[in-house]
Amino acid sequence: MYEEEQRPDHGPLAGFTVGVTAARRADELGTLLQRRGAAVMHAPALRIVQLADDSELLGATKELIRQVPDIVVATTAIGFRGWVEAADGWGLGEDLLSRLGGARILARGPKVKGAVRAAGLTEEWSPSSESMAEVLDRLLEEGVDGQRIAIQLHGEPLPGFVEALREGGAEVVGVPVYRWMPPEDIAPVDRLLDATVSRGVDALTFTSAPAAASLLSRAEERGMLPEVLEAMSHDVLPACVGPVTALPLQSRGIDTIQPERFRLGPLVQLLCKELPGRARALPIAGHRVEIRGHAVLVDGDLKPVPPAGMSLLRALSRRPGWVVARAELLRALPGSGRDEHAVETAMARLRTALGTPKLIQTVVKRGYRLALDPAADTKYADA
């Protein structure tokens, strides 16, 4: 009888391919995914403008030194540290910290608070929720009319934040730390889009809204946006680090998954739960067979399968236990032409990869079927 439990010799993401669109901290995210067994396809959808070369950041820094803000909102630790370091490089570090020291500083979360204190400054308040919405509520409740407010931006859009402050009578100065631009090499992005449409990836991860917007923009440029949206709506799981990151996708009608804590670790943990839960598990010939993105678990043992074999297996699993004709299986093979011999060749390789030939039965002159266990026939008859 097939086993109920997976064997602990592979990670929970074994057999799945995950696309990583991040530019910053991509190595960290990729390592977390690979440690849990995933194959990773990295395609940075953006590149970051180096701070020392950013004339907009220099201009905003000089403006704040010239005219001191009443309130400073620090949104990210790396952004705040980078701003101070860039100012030091321009010879403006002491002047900037002196001006910021005379302002009320609001830090979005504990990491930002640490960066503020490391610069020798002290925050007035930080929300326990780490939410910019709570920061906005506090400012509006206190009243911002006539206040000069500097907001350290970090490439992420702050929908309604700046507008609400301005409507409340504030003068808002944006400090554009780490601005995003399209990648210099677009080829990895194109490969990721092609893999998305062909279902060569099982999930796409997004750690910034600009990266999500950039990927969709490139898909639109190539005339494949409808196909990409269709894939993400059904087969390819979009996973975002938080609700702000998800906005460009949600505006296109795409539902996403997000961890409760907006961090890379919880994002990976969520994928470890969601992707295996989406995989199809069937009782076949006395074995438990779980069909994943590019591999199959047979009684918990990981069996890597060639792409053509995965195409055949998915076609068979859509009607488990039923005979699928060679002609239909041929249509499931990518670029196979009209020769049904291609089905036989791919099927032989699939059986070899699975290591258990009896999982798939040959029905003479008709086609192939999964050897679904008799007790499961009724359950899966209309699957």
Side-chain angles (χ1 to χ4, degrees):
M1 194 63 184
Y2 61 88
E3 301 174 10
E4 290 291 343
E5 299 295 330
Q6 291 184 10
R7 297 174 186 174
D9 56 355
H10 56 75
L13 295 179
F16 295 111
T17 302
V18 180
V20 172
T21 62
R24 188 175 66 86
R25 300 181 71 188
D27 289 344
E28 179 183 351
L29 178 55
T31 298
L32 288 173
L33 291 166
Q34 288 171 339
R35 283 177 181 169
R36 288 154 180 81
V40 174
M41 190 172 188
H42 182 216
L46 299 165
R47 61 187 171 93
I48 300 171
V49 177
Q50 296 301 311
L51 295 181
D53 303 327
D54 196 331
S55 58
E56 287 190 27
L57 178 61
L58 175 59
T61 302
K62 288 181 175 179
E63 181 181 347
L64 292 173
I65 290 173
R66 185 177 66 252
Q67 189 173 354
V68 182
D70 300 297
I71 299 170
V72 175
V73 179
T75 61
T76 63
I78 187 172
F80 191 84
R81 286 195 302 267
W83 182 21
V84 173
E85 289 169 4
D88 280 336
W90 296 322
L92 302 173
E94 290 186 11
D95 289 341
L96 176 63
L97 291 177
S98 174
R99 301 301 189 274
L100 297 184
R104 299 169 53 207
I105 299 177
L106 276 59
R108 181 182 60 84
K111 288 188 177 180
V112 192
K113 187 161 54 175
V116 168
R117 293 183 180 182
L121 303 171
T122 304
E123 81 290 344
E124 177 183 281
W125 176 79
S126 180
S128 58
S129 66
E130 302 184 39
S131 166
M132 288 299 289
E134 190 174 346
V135 174
L136 179 61
D137 288 344
R138 182 181 179 94
L139 287 171
L140 294 178
E141 285 173 9
E142 293 177 350
V144 295
D145 188 27
Q147 297 286 294
R148 180 175 169 81
I149 302 176
I151 302 177
Q152 172 246 313
L153 305 171
H154 187 62
E156 302 277 1
L158 298 174
F161 194 95
V162 172
E163 292 82 355
L165 292 177
R166 285 176 175 156
E167 287 176 7
E171 177 190 356
V172 181
V173 179
V175 182
V177 182
Y178 291 112
R179 288 187 297 116
W180 307 112
M181 294 184 69
E184 291 180 341
D185 182 8
I186 202 68
V189 174
D190 287 345
R191 286 194 290 270
L192 182 59
L193 288 171
D194 291 339
T196 299
V197 171
S198 67
R199 279 56 171 180
V201 292
D202 302 290
L204 292 172
T205 59
F206 299 95
T207 58
S208 74
S214 179
L215 189 76
L216 295 178
S217 176
R218 180 58 181 169
E220 195 163 23
E221 287 175 11
R222 294 184 61 197
M224 59 192 304
L225 182 59
E227 292 88 347
V228 170
L229 295 177
E230 169 70 17
M232 286 196 283
S233 295
H234 296 96
D235 304 307
V236 179
L237 180 64
C240 297
V241 77
V244 173
T245 297
L247 287 173
L249 298 169
Q250 291 176 343
S251 69
R252 300 279 189 170
I254 301 298
D255 292 329
T256 67
I257 61 168
Q258 304 160 27
E260 291 185 5
R261 295 179 59 247
F262 309 148
R263 298 283 187 272
L264 296 187
L267 177 65
V268 173
Q269 291 170 9
L270 184 58
L271 284 171
C272 289
K273 174 185 176 183
E274 292 288 336
L275 281 179
R278 292 160 62 100
R280 184 144 201 207
L282 296 169
I284 303 174
H287 301 274
R288 183 183 190 276
V289 177
E290 183 177 320
I291 302 168
R292 296 191 167 190
H294 61 262
V296 177
L297 294 180
V298 179
D299 296 333
D301 287 334
L302 187 68
K303 308 288 186 180
V305 175
M310 288 304 304
S311 297
L312 292 181
L313 192 55
R314 289 194 190 98
L316 291 169
S317 69
R318 283 197 275 278
R319 287 180 289 165
W322 290 57
V323 177
V324 181
R326 284 183 174 82
E328 184 175 340
L329 293 173
L330 182 63
R331 288 193 294 272
L333 286 176
S336 58
R338 300 180 179 179
D339 186 359
E340 290 188 3
H341 180 67
V343 174
E344 297 174 12
T345 302
M347 188 63 70
R349 291 173 179 166
L350 171 59
R351 282 170 163 158
T352 299
L354 294 175
T356 311
K358 292 182 179 180
L359 296 177
I360 302 172
Q361 295 177 338
T362 301
V363 182
V364 180
K365 296 183 179 180
R366 293 181 60 196
Y368 300 89
R369 66 183 290 271
L370 293 179
L372 195 69
D373 288 341
D377 282 347
T378 302
K379 177 179 177 182
Y380 293 100
D382 298 321

